Amino acid sequence: MIPAAFEYVKASSVAQVIALLNQHGEDAKVIAGGHSLLPAMKLRLSQPAVLIDIAAVSELKGIKTNGGTLTIGAGETYHAIATSNTVKNACPVIAACTGQIGDIQVRNAGTIGGALAHADPAADLTAVFLALGGTVTVQNAGGTRTIAADDMFVSMLMTALDSGELITAVNVPVLSKGQGASYAKLKHPASRYAIVGVAAVVTVSNGVVSACRVAVTGAGPQAVRQPSVEKALIGTSGDAAAIKAACASAGADMEYLGDIHASEEYRRAMVKVYAARALTDAIAAARA
Ligand SMILES: Cc1cc2nc3c(=O)[nH]c(=O)nc-3n(C[C@H](O)[C@H](O)[C@H](O)COP(=O)(O)OP(=O)(O)OC[C@H]3O[C@@H](n4cnc5c(N)ncnc54)[C@H](O)[C@@H]3O)c2cc1C
Protein backbone atom coordinates (compact mmCIF):
# COMPACT_ATOMS: atom_id res chain seq x y z
CA MET A 1 0.00 0.00 0.00
CA ILE A 2 1.83 3.03 -1.30
CA PRO A 3 0.37 6.54 -1.15
CA ALA A 4 0.02 8.70 -4.26
CA ALA A 5 2.97 11.02 -4.85
CA PHE A 6 2.97 14.24 -2.84
CA GLU A 7 5.16 17.25 -2.15
CA TYR A 8 6.43 17.36 1.47
CA VAL A 9 7.05 20.58 3.41
CA LYS A 10 8.38 20.59 6.97
CA ALA A 11 6.85 23.74 8.45
CA SER A 12 8.54 25.79 11.16
CA SER A 13 5.81 28.30 12.08
CA VAL A 14 2.03 28.64 12.22
CA ALA A 15 2.24 31.58 9.78
CA GLN A 16 4.00 29.35 7.24
CA VAL A 17 1.37 26.60 7.67
CA ILE A 18 -1.49 29.07 7.15
CA ALA A 19 0.21 30.59 4.08
CA LEU A 20 0.72 27.13 2.55
CA LEU A 21 -2.87 26.08 3.30
CA ASN A 22 -4.05 29.31 1.70
CA GLN A 23 -1.81 28.86 -1.33
CA HIS A 24 -2.72 25.22 -2.06
CA GLY A 25 -6.35 25.11 -0.86
CA GLU A 26 -7.99 21.66 -0.98
CA ASP A 27 -4.76 20.15 -2.43
CA ALA A 28 -2.91 20.58 0.87
CA LYS A 29 -3.20 18.77 4.19
CA VAL A 30 -1.34 19.14 7.45
CA ILE A 31 0.17 16.06 9.02
CA ALA A 32 0.77 15.90 12.78
CA GLY A 33 1.31 12.40 14.25
CA GLY A 34 0.27 10.79 10.97
CA HIS A 35 -1.43 7.87 12.72
CA SER A 36 -4.76 8.52 11.02
CA LEU A 37 -3.72 10.43 7.91
CA LEU A 38 -0.97 8.07 6.71
CA PRO A 39 -3.20 4.95 6.76
CA ALA A 40 -5.84 6.93 4.82
CA MET A 41 -3.19 8.01 2.30
CA LYS A 42 -1.89 4.46 1.91
CA LEU A 43 -5.45 3.32 1.16
CA ARG A 44 -5.70 6.32 -1.22
CA LEU A 45 -8.78 7.53 0.66
CA SER A 46 -6.84 10.79 1.02
CA GLN A 47 -4.49 12.03 -1.72
CA PRO A 48 -3.09 15.44 -0.78
CA ALA A 49 -0.73 16.90 -3.37
CA VAL A 50 1.08 18.86 -0.64
CA LEU A 51 1.71 17.50 2.84
CA ILE A 52 2.59 20.11 5.47
CA ASP A 53 4.36 18.53 8.44
CA ILE A 54 3.53 20.47 11.62
CA ALA A 55 5.38 18.22 14.09
CA ALA A 56 8.30 20.67 14.48
CA VAL A 57 6.20 23.84 14.90
CA SER A 58 7.13 24.97 18.41
CA GLU A 59 4.13 27.36 18.65
CA LEU A 60 1.89 24.26 18.70
CA LYS A 61 3.61 22.93 21.84
CA GLY A 62 3.13 23.83 25.48
CA ILE A 63 0.87 22.89 28.37
CA LYS A 64 -0.17 25.61 30.81
CA THR A 65 -2.93 26.78 33.11
CA ASN A 66 -4.23 30.31 33.13
CA GLY A 67 -6.85 30.94 35.81
CA GLY A 68 -9.56 28.37 35.32
CA THR A 69 -8.36 27.11 31.93
CA LEU A 70 -5.90 24.38 30.97
CA THR A 71 -4.44 25.05 27.52
CA ILE A 72 -2.69 22.27 25.61
CA GLY A 73 -0.85 23.02 22.36
CA ALA A 74 -2.42 21.17 19.44
CA GLY A 75 0.91 19.50 18.64
CA GLU A 76 1.37 17.93 22.07
CA THR A 77 1.49 14.14 21.90
CA TYR A 78 -0.69 11.84 23.98
CA HIS A 79 2.40 10.66 25.85
CA ALA A 80 3.44 14.21 26.77
CA ILE A 81 -0.13 14.95 27.95
CA ALA A 82 -0.57 11.69 29.88
CA THR A 83 2.68 12.23 31.78
CA SER A 84 2.30 15.99 32.39
CA ASN A 85 1.93 16.94 36.06
CA THR A 86 0.16 20.13 34.98
CA VAL A 87 -2.52 18.06 33.22
CA LYS A 88 -2.73 15.51 36.06
CA ASN A 89 -3.33 18.31 38.59
CA ALA A 90 -5.63 20.53 36.49
CA CYS A 91 -7.76 18.01 34.64
CA PRO A 92 -6.80 14.43 35.49
CA VAL A 93 -9.37 12.90 33.13
CA ILE A 94 -7.37 14.17 30.11
CA ALA A 95 -4.20 12.48 31.42
CA ALA A 96 -6.10 9.26 32.16
CA CYS A 97 -7.74 9.25 28.73
CA THR A 98 -4.58 9.96 26.71
CA GLY A 99 -2.73 7.32 28.75
CA GLN A 100 -5.06 4.63 27.41
CA ILE A 101 -5.00 5.55 23.70
CA GLY A 102 -3.52 2.87 21.45
CA ASP A 103 -0.03 1.66 22.36
CA ILE A 104 3.19 3.50 23.17
CA GLN A 105 4.03 4.05 19.47
CA VAL A 106 0.63 5.67 18.90
CA ARG A 107 0.94 7.73 22.09
CA ASN A 108 4.40 8.96 21.15
CA ALA A 109 3.23 10.27 17.76
CA GLY A 110 -0.51 11.03 17.97
CA THR A 111 -1.49 14.58 18.93
CA ILE A 112 -4.49 16.14 20.64
CA GLY A 113 -5.02 18.50 17.69
CA GLY A 114 -4.93 15.62 15.21
CA ALA A 115 -7.39 13.59 17.27
CA LEU A 116 -9.97 16.40 17.45
CA ALA A 117 -9.50 17.48 13.82
CA HIS A 118 -9.80 13.93 12.52
CA ALA A 119 -12.87 13.14 14.71
CA ASP A 120 -12.70 9.40 14.25
CA PRO A 121 -16.00 7.82 15.40
CA ALA A 122 -14.00 5.60 17.80
CA ALA A 123 -11.62 8.30 19.12
CA ASP A 124 -11.37 8.71 22.88
CA LEU A 125 -10.58 12.41 23.27
CA THR A 126 -13.65 13.60 21.38
CA ALA A 127 -15.98 12.42 24.18
CA VAL A 128 -13.77 13.77 26.96
CA PHE A 129 -13.42 17.16 25.24
CA LEU A 130 -17.21 17.29 24.73
CA ALA A 131 -18.03 16.31 28.33
CA LEU A 132 -15.57 18.93 29.62
CA GLY A 133 -17.16 21.60 27.43
CA GLY A 134 -13.76 22.71 26.06
CA THR A 135 -12.89 24.91 23.10
CA VAL A 136 -10.32 24.73 20.33
CA THR A 137 -8.34 27.78 19.26
CA VAL A 138 -8.18 27.91 15.48
CA GLN A 139 -5.96 29.97 13.17
CA ASN A 140 -6.91 30.87 9.61
CA ALA A 141 -5.81 33.44 7.03
CA GLY A 142 -8.09 36.06 8.63
CA GLY A 143 -6.98 35.56 12.23
CA THR A 144 -8.05 33.44 15.19
CA ARG A 145 -11.38 32.02 16.25
CA THR A 146 -12.60 29.52 18.84
CA ILE A 147 -14.93 26.60 18.32
CA ALA A 148 -16.88 25.26 21.30
CA ALA A 149 -16.92 21.50 21.86
CA ASP A 150 -20.72 21.47 21.47
CA ASP A 151 -20.30 22.78 17.89
CA MET A 152 -17.19 20.81 16.90
CA PHE A 153 -18.32 17.32 15.83
CA VAL A 154 -20.70 17.58 12.89
CA SER A 155 -20.88 14.03 11.48
CA MET A 156 -18.57 11.09 10.79
CA LEU A 157 -15.00 12.46 10.37
CA MET A 158 -16.52 15.93 9.88
CA THR A 159 -15.88 18.87 12.19
CA ALA A 160 -16.70 22.58 12.23
CA LEU A 161 -13.18 23.34 10.96
CA ASP A 162 -13.15 25.13 7.61
CA SER A 163 -10.64 24.35 4.90
CA GLY A 164 -7.43 26.31 5.49
CA GLU A 165 -7.85 26.27 9.28
CA LEU A 166 -5.39 24.93 11.83
CA ILE A 167 -6.14 24.02 15.44
CA THR A 168 -3.41 25.70 17.48
CA ALA A 169 -4.58 24.85 21.01
CA VAL A 170 -7.15 22.92 23.01
CA ASN A 171 -8.66 24.57 26.08
CA VAL A 172 -10.53 22.78 28.87
CA PRO A 173 -11.64 23.88 32.33
CA VAL A 174 -9.40 23.30 35.33
CA LEU A 175 -11.49 21.08 37.59
CA SER A 176 -12.07 22.53 41.04
CA LYS A 177 -13.20 21.11 44.39
CA GLY A 178 -16.61 19.52 44.07
CA GLN A 179 -16.01 18.60 40.42
CA GLY A 180 -15.12 15.14 39.20
CA ALA A 181 -14.60 13.59 35.78
CA SER A 182 -14.12 10.12 34.41
CA TYR A 183 -13.80 8.31 31.09
CA ALA A 184 -14.84 4.64 30.85
CA LYS A 185 -14.27 2.66 27.69
CA LEU A 186 -14.89 -0.76 26.27
CA LYS A 187 -11.79 -0.98 24.16
CA HIS A 188 -10.98 -2.94 21.04
CA PRO A 189 -8.48 -5.52 22.34
CA ALA A 190 -5.89 -4.88 19.58
CA SER A 191 -6.10 -1.18 18.58
CA ARG A 192 -7.63 0.02 21.88
CA TYR A 193 -9.98 2.31 19.94
CA ALA A 194 -13.29 2.78 21.79
CA ILE A 195 -16.00 0.27 20.87
CA VAL A 196 -17.98 2.34 23.36
CA GLY A 197 -16.52 5.13 25.47
CA VAL A 198 -18.36 7.43 27.87
CA ALA A 199 -17.01 10.57 29.53
CA ALA A 200 -18.78 12.20 32.47
CA VAL A 201 -18.06 15.50 34.22
CA VAL A 202 -20.06 16.22 37.38
CA THR A 203 -20.31 18.99 39.97
CA VAL A 204 -21.62 18.10 43.44
CA SER A 205 -22.68 21.03 45.66
CA ASN A 206 -23.97 20.44 49.21
CA GLY A 207 -24.47 16.75 48.48
CA VAL A 208 -26.51 17.35 45.33
CA VAL A 209 -25.49 16.98 41.67
CA SER A 210 -25.70 20.57 40.41
CA ALA A 211 -24.12 20.16 36.96
CA CYS A 212 -23.45 17.21 34.70
CA ARG A 213 -22.20 16.63 31.16
CA VAL A 214 -22.04 13.16 29.60
CA ALA A 215 -20.70 12.31 26.13
CA VAL A 216 -20.48 9.04 24.20
CA THR A 217 -17.95 7.99 21.56
CA GLY A 218 -17.39 4.76 19.66
CA ALA A 219 -21.05 3.81 19.40
CA GLY A 220 -22.13 6.08 16.55
CA PRO A 221 -20.75 8.24 13.73
CA GLN A 222 -19.56 11.05 16.01
CA ALA A 223 -19.23 11.89 19.69
CA VAL A 224 -22.55 13.09 21.14
CA ARG A 225 -23.82 14.38 24.47
CA GLN A 226 -26.54 12.65 26.48
CA PRO A 227 -28.88 15.46 27.56
CA SER A 228 -31.56 13.17 28.99
CA VAL A 229 -29.05 11.48 31.31
CA GLU A 230 -27.60 14.84 32.36
CA LYS A 231 -31.07 16.26 33.11
CA ALA A 232 -32.15 13.16 35.04
CA LEU A 233 -29.10 13.27 37.30
CA ILE A 234 -29.08 16.97 38.14
CA GLY A 235 -30.83 17.66 41.45
CA THR A 236 -30.33 14.10 42.75
CA SER A 237 -27.88 12.88 45.37
CA GLY A 238 -25.98 11.01 42.66
CA ASP A 239 -26.25 7.72 44.56
CA ALA A 240 -26.38 4.32 42.86
CA ALA A 241 -30.16 4.44 42.45
CA ALA A 242 -30.05 7.92 40.87
CA ILE A 243 -27.29 6.85 38.47
CA LYS A 244 -29.22 3.72 37.48
CA ALA A 245 -32.40 5.73 36.88
CA ALA A 246 -30.54 8.39 34.85
CA CYS A 247 -28.71 5.81 32.73
CA ALA A 248 -31.98 4.12 31.71
CA SER A 249 -32.17 6.72 28.92
CA ALA A 250 -28.44 6.60 28.00
CA GLY A 251 -27.99 6.17 24.26
CA ALA A 252 -31.73 6.39 23.58
CA ASP A 253 -31.65 9.24 21.06
CA MET A 254 -28.53 8.61 19.04
CA GLU A 255 -27.46 6.99 15.81
CA TYR A 256 -25.53 3.71 16.08
CA LEU A 257 -22.88 1.97 14.00
CA GLY A 258 -22.51 -1.79 13.83
CA ASP A 259 -19.45 -3.62 12.50
CA ILE A 260 -17.50 -6.88 12.84
CA HIS A 261 -16.37 -5.83 16.32
CA ALA A 262 -19.78 -5.08 17.85
CA SER A 263 -23.37 -4.94 16.64
CA GLU A 264 -25.59 -1.88 17.04
CA GLU A 265 -27.58 -3.74 19.75
CA TYR A 266 -24.44 -4.55 21.70
CA ARG A 267 -23.20 -0.98 21.51
CA ARG A 268 -26.65 0.25 22.60
CA ALA A 269 -26.49 -1.99 25.68
CA MET A 270 -22.90 -1.01 26.47
CA VAL A 271 -23.62 2.73 26.37
CA LYS A 272 -25.84 2.28 29.47
CA VAL A 273 -23.21 0.15 31.25
CA TYR A 274 -20.30 2.51 30.54
CA ALA A 275 -22.36 5.64 31.26
CA ALA A 276 -23.09 4.22 34.74
CA ARG A 277 -19.39 3.41 35.27
CA ALA A 278 -18.21 6.85 34.17
CA LEU A 279 -20.82 8.62 36.31
CA THR A 280 -20.07 6.49 39.37
CA ASP A 281 -16.36 7.34 39.15
CA ALA A 282 -16.95 11.02 38.33
CA ILE A 283 -19.29 11.46 41.31
CA ALA A 284 -16.83 9.67 43.61
CA ALA A 285 -14.07 12.04 42.40
CA ALA A 286 -16.33 15.06 42.93
CA ARG A 287 -16.99 13.96 46.53
CA ALA A 288 -13.32 13.17 47.31
C1 LIG B 1 -2.69 1.21 15.75
C2 LIG B 1 -3.48 2.45 16.12
C3 LIG B 1 -4.22 2.45 17.29
C4 LIG B 1 -4.95 3.57 17.65
N1 LIG B 1 -5.68 3.54 18.81
C5 LIG B 1 -6.41 4.62 19.16
C6 LIG B 1 -7.17 4.62 20.40
O1 LIG B 1 -7.16 3.68 21.20
N2 LIG B 1 -7.89 5.74 20.66
C7 LIG B 1 -7.90 6.84 19.84
O2 LIG B 1 -8.57 7.83 20.16
N3 LIG B 1 -7.18 6.87 18.71
C8 LIG B 1 -6.44 5.80 18.35
N4 LIG B 1 -5.70 5.84 17.19
C9 LIG B 1 -5.70 7.07 16.34
C10 LIG B 1 -4.65 8.04 16.84
O3 LIG B 1 -5.13 8.57 18.05
C11 LIG B 1 -4.34 9.18 15.85
O4 LIG B 1 -3.09 9.66 16.26
C12 LIG B 1 -5.32 10.33 15.82
O5 LIG B 1 -6.56 9.87 15.35
C13 LIG B 1 -4.88 11.44 14.87
O6 LIG B 1 -3.86 12.21 15.44
P1 LIG B 1 -2.54 12.50 14.62
O7 LIG B 1 -1.78 13.55 15.36
O8 LIG B 1 -1.85 11.22 14.34
O9 LIG B 1 -3.14 13.17 13.28
P2 LIG B 1 -2.78 12.94 11.75
O10 LIG B 1 -2.97 11.51 11.38
O11 LIG B 1 -1.48 13.55 11.44
O12 LIG B 1 -3.94 13.83 11.08
C14 LIG B 1 -5.28 13.43 11.15
C15 LIG B 1 -6.14 14.51 10.49
O13 LIG B 1 -6.17 15.69 11.29
C16 LIG B 1 -5.66 16.80 10.56
N5 LIG B 1 -4.88 17.59 11.52
C17 LIG B 1 -3.84 17.15 12.30
N6 LIG B 1 -3.46 18.11 13.13
C18 LIG B 1 -4.25 19.19 12.87
C19 LIG B 1 -4.33 20.50 13.42
N7 LIG B 1 -3.53 20.93 14.40
N8 LIG B 1 -5.29 21.32 12.92
C20 LIG B 1 -6.11 20.95 11.92
N9 LIG B 1 -6.09 19.72 11.37
C21 LIG B 1 -5.16 18.85 11.84
C22 LIG B 1 -4.83 16.21 9.40
O14 LIG B 1 -4.79 17.09 8.30
C23 LIG B 1 -5.63 14.95 9.12
O15 LIG B 1 -6.74 15.27 8.31
C24 LIG B 1 -4.95 4.73 16.80
C25 LIG B 1 -4.19 4.73 15.62
C26 LIG B 1 -3.46 3.61 15.28
C27 LIG B 1 -2.63 3.63 14.01
Side-chain angles (χ1 to χ4, degrees), residues 132-189:
L132 284 166
T135 61
V136 286
T137 307
V138 173
Q139 183 80 35
N140 56 35
T144 305
R145 69 174 180 128
T146 57
I147 303 174
D150 283 332
D151 301 325
M152 183 68 178
F153 307 112
V154 175
S155 57
M156 188 182 298
L157 302 172
M158 291 294 296
T159 68
L161 282 171
D162 287 331
S163 129
E165 290 194 315
L166 182 75
I167 301 176
T168 54
V170 178
N171 317 293
V172 292
V174 172
L175 297 183
S176 49
K177 195 159 168 50
Q179 291 188 303
S182 178
Y183 176 62
K185 83 163 157 173
L186 171 63
K187 57 179 179 290
H188 184 280

Side-chain angles (χ1 to χ4, degrees), residues 196-214:
V196 166
V198 181
V201 181
V202 173
T203 307
V204 176
S205 320
N206 301 320
V208 173
V209 176
S210 57
C212 172
R213 288 174 68 104
V214 178

Side-chain angles (χ1 to χ4, degrees), residues 58-281:
S58 57
E59 294 154 86
L60 299 177
K61 304 283 186 196
I63 298 175
K64 59 173 193 264
T65 55
N66 185 2
T69 304
L70 168 68
T71 296
I72 303 174
E76 289 290 351
T77 63
Y78 305 136
H79 177 72
I81 296 165
T83 55
S84 156
N85 284 333
T86 304
V87 178
K88 285 182 196 169
N89 290 331
C91 195
V93 68
I94 296 263
C97 171
T98 46
Q100 47 180 301
I101 291 177
D103 52 31
I104 190 66
Q105 286 89 346
V106 173
R107 292 197 292 277
N108 271 331
T111 65
I112 191 167
L116 299 184
H118 186 62
D120 192 289
D124 294 304
L125 275 168
T126 50
V128 174
F129 174 67
L130 195 49
L132 284 166
T135 61
V136 286
T137 307
V138 173
Q139 183 80 35
N140 56 35
T144 305
R145 69 174 180 128
T146 57
I147 303 174
D150 283 332
D151 301 325
M152 183 68 178
F153 307 112
V154 175
S155 57
M156 188 182 298
L157 302 172
M158 291 294 296
T159 68
L161 282 171
D162 287 331
S163 129
E165 290 194 315
L166 182 75
I167 301 176
T168 54
V170 178
N171 317 293
V172 292
V174 172
L175 297 183
S176 49
K177 195 159 168 50
Q179 291 188 303
S182 178
Y183 176 62
K185 83 163 157 173
L186 171 63
K187 57 179 179 290
H188 184 280
S191 70
R192 304 211 175 98
Y193 271 113
I195 289 174
V196 166
V198 181
V201 181
V202 173
T203 307
V204 176
S205 320
N206 301 320
V208 173
V209 176
S210 57
C212 172
R213 288 174 68 104
V214 178
V216 172
T217 185
Q222 80 265 13
V224 286
R225 277 179 70 187
Q226 298 294 306
S228 61
V229 177
E230 297 168 0
K231 204 167 152 220
L233 203 66
I234 291 170
T236 73
S237 68
D239 64 4
I243 292 172
K244 190 174 175 196
C247 289
S249 68
D253 297 322
M254 59 176 276
E255 210 182 318
Y256 282 87
L257 295 175
D259 55 30
I260 54 165
H261 308 302
S263 64
E264 287 184 33
E265 292 94 319
Y266 186 63
R267 284 185 159 95
R268 191 182 288 276
M270 288 304 104
V271 167
K272 293 189 199 310
V273 173
Y274 282 81
R277 289 184 188 178
L279 280 167
T280 302
D281 289 350

